């Protein structure tokens, strides 16, 4: 039986921190779904379909598209419903700090209770541990250089949106 996992996120936009987690998770599972999920707690900058396209371009740029990674979006119900649909037994999340642990722990327990889906936490590469999508959005909005924090297609996209 093949192992399937889901890496969910707002990815608004995808950052090098996300890419690091995706790249390492893809080595642990036969199939990895990177899924853009609408987070009602956050005001989004980039439309979901465009976030999906930026993830695809960013993975392609890194030579990660010919393997076991599927990019998708999900906005019609529980994340575990998506997991059940694709036969995923695990959700993979990146943990940067105690704040992430506090935010993610209740969701992990509820997702296990709802559908028996386990959550696996990966520690970040220290080089990207300080990076977040909100930081990228802020630097970009104020005219700063986001190239150190995001894949090239995202830097290019943000450059055009702030021109
Ligand atoms: N290094 C490592 N990991 C990172 C980094 C970094 N630099 N930056 C972000 N991450 C991790 C985050 O900790 C998170 O695990 C993941 O990457 C995605 O981050 P974001 O910011 O893109 O996405 P979030 O935090 O807004 O997550 C939104 C979700 C919608 C995925 C989340 O809220 C969720 O799982 N919702 C489930 C909805 C549901 O079914 N609810 C009911 C049961 S709980």
């Amino acid at each position: 039986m093949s192992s399937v996992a889901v890496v969910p996120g707002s990815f608004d936009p995808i950052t090098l921190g996300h890419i690091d987690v995706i790249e390492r998770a893809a080595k642990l599972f036969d199939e990895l779904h990177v899924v853009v999920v609408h987070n009602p707690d956050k005001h989004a900058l980039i439309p979901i379909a465009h976030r999906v396209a930026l993830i695809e371009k960013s993975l392609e740029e890194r030579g990660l598209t010919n393997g076991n990674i599927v990019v998708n979006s999900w906005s019609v119900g529980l994340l575990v419903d998506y997991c059940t649909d694709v036969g995923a037994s695990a959700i993979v999340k990146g943990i940067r700090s105690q704040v992430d642990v506090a935010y993610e722990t209740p969701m992990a327990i509820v997702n296990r209770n709802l559908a028996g889906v386990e959550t696996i936490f990966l520690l970040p590469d220290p080089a990207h541990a300080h990076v977040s999508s909100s930081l990228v959005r802020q630097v970009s909005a104020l005219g700063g250089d986001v190239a150190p924090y995001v894949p090239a297609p995202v830097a290019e996209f943000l450059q055009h949106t702030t021109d």
Side-chain angles (χ1 to χ4, degrees):
M1 207 175 91
S2 66
S3 58
V4 183
V6 170
V7 177
S10 300
F11 301 118
D12 187 34
I14 189 164
T15 69
L16 294 179
H18 293 130
I19 294 275
D20 167 55
V21 169
I22 292 165
E23 201 163 357
R24 285 187 287 129
K27 293 179 186 151
L28 300 175
F29 296 90
D30 296 319
E31 189 176 303
L32 190 73
H33 290 244
V34 178
V35 183
V36 179
V37 181
H38 170 65
N39 184 346
D41 298 334
K42 292 184 179 173
H43 175 71
L45 171 72
I46 307 170
I48 287 185
H50 211 113
R51 283 182 249 166
V52 169
L54 285 172
I55 293 170
E56 284 171 342
K57 275 190 196 166
S58 302
L59 296 179
E60 191 180 336
E61 189 212 19
R62 275 151 201 273
L64 292 168
T65 40
N66 292 328
N68 58 340
I69 304 178
V70 175
V71 184
N72 221 332
S73 64
W74 182 251
S75 50
V76 293
L78 295 168
L79 177 61
V80 290
D81 291 341
Y82 180 91
C83 294
T84 305
D85 281 2
V86 300
S89 56
I91 293 168
V92 180
K93 297 231 171 153
I95 287 289
R96 293 159 292 181
S97 65
Q98 288 301 324
V99 174
D100 281 349
V101 174
Y103 177 68
E104 299 290 353
T105 302
M107 281 197 284
I109 294 168
V110 169
N111 285 332
R112 191 175 57 205
N113 290 345
L114 282 169
V117 176
E118 294 288 352
T119 300
I120 294 172
F121 295 124
L122 294 185
L123 294 175
D125 178 340
H128 305 306
H130 59 294
V131 179
S132 66
S133 299
S134 57
L135 176 129
V136 167
R137 290 196 302 272
Q138 193 176 64
V139 171
S140 170
L142 296 172
D145 180 17
V146 295
Y149 313 119
V150 294
V154 174
E156 203 177 309
F157 169 78
L158 291 174
Q159 177 71 45
H160 289 306
T161 54
T162 52
D163 274 350

